[in-house]
């Protein structure tokens, strides 16, 4: 009997093992958040601020993850453990569904566990699930869609098309990058076995459902002069301009764990040319998304990351078949090697080591700090550096605010250079009695300057000469210093500015910065 035949429900070991791997991932991230985290990540402050301004859209992302965050905050609060509960849960489900996907395609015990283990040990997924962002949910959307496509091929029941439309619609409301997944599915409809479904109404109903669910974000962009398109254009030509297709391709190997490269490449072969051609749609989805991102020229390597759990599932079936006549030790050896590599790479994706130990560990392995942006780095990669310095910044601003006379405090606002600074000051500054912090960066610009009657502005960062274009008087009062933060956030001057040269309502449009 073929060892990769579809399993029966009589064997309870497999789902239990997959659940165990999923639970391990969830527990790992919760433990790190509770005991090993460096602090809140820059973007997490921004998402927290967005959750206090619920809307149908934001300059740099759709609203689904923000609505989830608002619910999460109402139930669990704002601690790091509470904030990172949902990303940990999404990661656990992604690991579990990767194994289930292998099972649905006929993978046996080894293939299911290998698919889940490869997903568990992917550094990019470890990193994404260690902070709150829409990225964790994007992985879940991709693997759920892959599973539904498999279900559609096996049994063309209308409910699977309906579910696919709903999943894609929610996915688009979570992150616009799901358009690449939608494009891949559309291309895959041109070849068998999905081509036959075009004669039915269900693919069209699924597409209509997805568009309907996504339409509020489209309408929001129309109403606000397409800020998301401007954001993408500026980011591509600005902070991501140094990225190249060569780096993008190299990152596909590095971000997924170099040891798993043969596995996912084997999965792609399995779908397109091997015994898994009945599920070639998954290979076409990957190839289409890859082509789109390469044509873009400046894509981040992580943009394609959500596609890999389905390739791991295909690769695990391919590996199971290739090793069916191999010595018994080969299968456990492969699983152990993958697990060990995941452990060795985890400190580069998740803050499991104290900072000094991480720096020593990275130097020992010859790994230099990295960033996808055109920014100077110090001892830490940007992902870790952006977890440092925010409380120090807030305390420095609070010390300046304390020097103001009582009458100035009544009509004071804080202006920061970016959403990380503004949102962190608002988050930590509540307990210190600070006035609202604002910025022209991304959606903060749409929220406006807050107090139109402000007479005094505490300005964080920037150049005094530039600030004098808007104020009669600008005085540097203090500096914010932090060792491990991004260099451009260290040694920040903090000014007190008085007497606007022009009304604040006229100056505010000039602060817009979408990137």
């Amino acid at each position: 009997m073929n060892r990769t035949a579809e399993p029966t429900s009589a064997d309870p070991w497999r789902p239990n093992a997959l659940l165990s791997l999923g639970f391990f991932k969830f527990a790992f991230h919760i433990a790190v958040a509770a005991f090993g985290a460096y602090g809140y990540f820059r973007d997490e402050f921004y998402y927290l601020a967005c959750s206090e301004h619920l809307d149908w859209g934001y300059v740099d992302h759709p609203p689904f993850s923000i609505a989830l965050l608002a619910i999460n905050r109402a139930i669990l609060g704002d601690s790091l453990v509470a904030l990172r509960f949902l990303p940990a849960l999404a990661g656990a489900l992604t690991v579990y569904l990767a194994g289930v996907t292998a099972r649905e395609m006929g993978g046996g015990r080894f293939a299911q566990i290998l698919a889940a283990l490869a997903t568990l040990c992917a550094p990019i997924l470890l990193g994404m699930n260690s902070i709150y962002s829409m990225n964790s949910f994007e992985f879940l959307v991709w693997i759920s869609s892959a599973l539904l496509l498999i279900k559609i091929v096996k049994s063309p029941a209308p409910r699977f098309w309906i579910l696919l439309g709903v999943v894609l619609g929610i996915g688009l409301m979570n992150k616009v990058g799901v358009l690449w997944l939608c494009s891949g599915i559309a291309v895959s409809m041109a070849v068998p076995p999905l081509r036959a479904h075009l004669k039915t109404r269900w693919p069209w109903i699924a597409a209509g459902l997805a568009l309907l669910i996504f339409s509020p974000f489209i309408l929001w962009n129309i109403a606000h002069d397409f800020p998301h398109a401007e954001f993408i254009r500026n980011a591509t030509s600005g902070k991501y301009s140094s990225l190249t297709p060569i780096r993008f391709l190299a990152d596909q190997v590095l971000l997924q764990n170099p040891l798993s490269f043969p596995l996912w490449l084997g999965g792609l072969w399995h779908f397109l040319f091997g015994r898994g051609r009945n599920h070639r749609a998954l290979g076409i989805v990957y190839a289409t998304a890859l082509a789109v991102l390469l044509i873009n020229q400046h894509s981040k390597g992580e943009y394609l990351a959500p596609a890999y759990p389905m390739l791991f599932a295909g690769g695990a079936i391919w590996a199971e078949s290739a090793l069916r006549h191999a010595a018994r030790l080969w299968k456990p050896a492969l699983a152990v090697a993958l697990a060990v590599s995941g452990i060795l790479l985890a400190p580069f994706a998740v803050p499991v080591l104290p900072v000094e130990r991480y720096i020593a560990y990275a130097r020992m392995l010859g790994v230099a700090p990295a960033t996808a942006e055109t920014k100077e780095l110090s001892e830490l990669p940007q992902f870790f550096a952006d977890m440092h310095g925010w409380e120090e910044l807030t305390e420095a601003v609070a010390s300046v605010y304390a020097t103001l006379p009582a009458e100035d405090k009544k009509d004071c606002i804080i202006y920061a250079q970016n959403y990380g600074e503004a949102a962190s000051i608002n988050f930590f500054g509540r307990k210190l009695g600070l006035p609202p912090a604002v910025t022209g960066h991304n959606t903060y610009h749409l929220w406006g300057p807050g107090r139109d009657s402000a007479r005094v502005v505490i300005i964080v960062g920037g150049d005094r000469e530039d600030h004098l274009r808007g104020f009669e008087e600008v005085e540097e009062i203090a500096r914010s210093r932090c060792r491990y933060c991004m260099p451009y956030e260290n040694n920040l001057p903090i000014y007190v500015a008085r007497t606007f040269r022009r009304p604040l309502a006229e100056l505010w449009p000039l602060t817009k910065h979408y990137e």
Side-chain angles (χ1 to χ4, degrees):
M1 185 181 226
N2 190 338
R3 295 176 66 183
T4 61
E6 290 194 26
T8 66
S9 58
D11 183 357
W13 187 88
R14 277 165 286 187
N16 287 344
L18 297 182
L19 286 172
S20 297
L21 287 172
F23 178 77
F24 173 81
K25 180 172 177 62
F26 173 80
F28 170 74
H29 285 295
I30 293 299
V32 171
F35 306 110
Y38 296 156
Y40 293 87
F41 182 68
R42 169 192 297 274
D43 290 359
E44 288 178 313
F45 291 114
Y46 178 49
Y47 300 143
L48 288 166
C50 289
S51 73
E52 297 170 359
H53 297 79
L54 292 178
D55 204 342
W56 285 111
Y58 304 89
V59 168
D60 37 1
H61 52 81
F64 179 75
S65 64
I66 302 304
L68 277 184
L69 179 56
I71 296 170
N72 188 77
R73 294 183 74 185
I75 298 171
L76 300 179
D78 291 337
S79 70
L80 275 176
V81 172
L83 183 60
R84 295 172 181 175
F85 173 83
L86 287 179
L89 181 60
L93 289 172
T94 302
V95 167
Y96 174 74
L97 289 180
V100 171
T101 300
R103 185 177 63 181
E104 285 294 322
M105 292 187 293
R109 177 179 305 180
F110 174 72
Q112 295 171 45
I113 300 306
L114 188 62
L117 187 61
T119 304
L120 174 64
C121 294
I124 185 63
L125 191 55
L126 285 172
M128 292 296 188
N129 293 145
S130 68
I131 62 169
Y132 192 94
S133 77
M134 69 287 300
N135 297 310
S136 290
F137 310 115
E138 187 185 19
F139 278 87
L140 199 52
V141 167
W142 278 70
I143 192 63
S144 299
S145 298
L147 189 55
L148 286 168
L149 285 173
I150 294 167
K151 293 278 192 182
I152 288 169
V153 169
K154 292 172 64 176
S155 172
R159 68 179 183 276
F160 294 133
W161 280 112
I162 299 298
L163 284 172
L164 181 61
V166 171
V167 168
L168 292 176
I170 292 174
L172 288 167
M173 283 296 276
N174 176 67
K175 191 172 181 180
V176 174
V178 171
L179 280 172
W180 306 319
L181 169 61
C182 296
S183 299
I185 294 174
V187 173
S188 71
M189 297 294 297
V191 298
L194 290 182
R195 185 167 60 192
H197 292 262
L198 287 176
K199 299 177 182 179
T200 73
R201 63 182 181 274
W202 299 111
W204 310 102
I205 291 176
L209 271 174
L211 181 60
L212 180 64
I213 295 171
F214 186 46
S215 61
F217 184 61
I218 298 174
L219 295 173
W220 181 89
N221 271 274
I222 293 172
H224 291 82
D225 198 23
F226 299 98
H228 192 66
E230 183 178 344
F231 161 78
I232 293 174
R233 184 171 60 251
N234 291 343
T236 302
S237 62
K239 62 182 179 180
Y240 299 142
S241 60
S242 65
L243 298 178
T244 65
I246 297 298
R247 177 170 176 182
F248 175 81
L249 291 173
D251 281 347
Q252 302 315 302
V253 178
L254 297 174
L255 295 177
Q256 302 307 322
N257 185 337
L259 195 62
S260 71
F261 172 59
L263 188 65
W264 63 257
L265 193 62
L268 184 59
W269 174 271
H270 176 74
F271 290 138
L272 294 178
F273 310 107
R275 296 181 178 179
R277 279 174 291 180
N278 199 40
H279 302 295
R280 61 166 58 92
L282 303 188
I284 293 173
V285 165
Y286 176 85
T288 303
L290 175 66
V292 170
L293 291 169
L294 284 174
I295 291 170
N296 181 55
Q297 295 288 312
H298 301 295
S299 298
K300 295 172 69 176
E302 66 189 51
Y303 288 167
L304 192 56
Y308 285 93
M310 67 182 184
L311 291 191
F312 289 147
I317 295 174
W318 167 78
E320 184 177 60
S321 177
L323 295 174
R324 66 183 180 275
H325 298 308
R328 283 193 171 189
L329 287 177
W330 274 102
K331 289 182 179 180
L334 177 58
V336 169
L338 198 57
V340 170
S341 68
I343 293 171
L344 294 175
L345 292 172
F348 297 107
V350 185
V352 292
L353 296 177
V355 176
E356 292 294 344
R357 288 187 182 179
Y358 167 79
I359 293 171
Y361 183 70
R363 287 174 178 169
M364 180 182 71
L365 296 181
V367 179
T371 177
E373 302 180 11
T374 53
K375 298 249 184 353
E376 177 189 352
L377 294 173
S378 184
E379 298 174 284
L380 295 177
Q382 184 174 4
F383 183 62
F384 288 162
D386 274 338
M387 298 178 186
H388 292 272
W390 306 113
E391 290 188 75
E392 293 90 335
L393 173 62
T394 306
E395 290 169 359
V397 170
S399 69
V400 172
Y401 181 69
T403 66
L404 298 179
E407 59 270 20
D408 285 349
K409 290 181 178 179
K410 294 179 182 178
D411 294 312
C412 175
I413 62 172
I414 301 165
Y415 182 83
Q417 305 303 310
N418 57 65
Y419 64 58
E421 295 169 359
S424 62
I425 291 170
N426 283 327
F427 183 78
F428 291 120
R430 292 189 184 105
K431 295 180 180 179
L432 303 176
L434 293 181
V438 300
T439 179
H441 190 200
N442 290 1
T443 313
Y444 260 102
H445 181 264
L446 296 180
W447 296 336
R451 300 175 181 174
D452 293 330
S453 62
R455 296 185 301 104
V456 177
V457 180
I458 296 176
I459 304 177
V460 178
D463 184 77
R464 181 174 180 271
E465 296 303 316
D466 288 338
H467 299 327
L468 282 171
R469 297 175 184 175
F471 299 90
E472 296 285 349
E473 177 187 345
V474 178
E475 180 184 5
E476 181 180 326
I477 304 298
R479 294 242 165 185
S480 170
R481 293 179 172 85
C482 52
R483 177 177 176 183
Y484 295 118
C485 63
M486 288 292 287
Y488 72 91
E489 296 287 8
N490 187 25
N491 200 31
L492 281 180
I494 301 175
Y495 308 95
V496 172
R498 293 181 172 89
T499 313
F500 286 95
R501 294 185 184 272
R502 295 163 60 184
L504 179 56
E506 293 182 17
L507 289 173
W508 189 253
L510 304 178
T511 69
K512 186 178 81 166
H513 176 50
Y514 293 168
E515 186 179 72

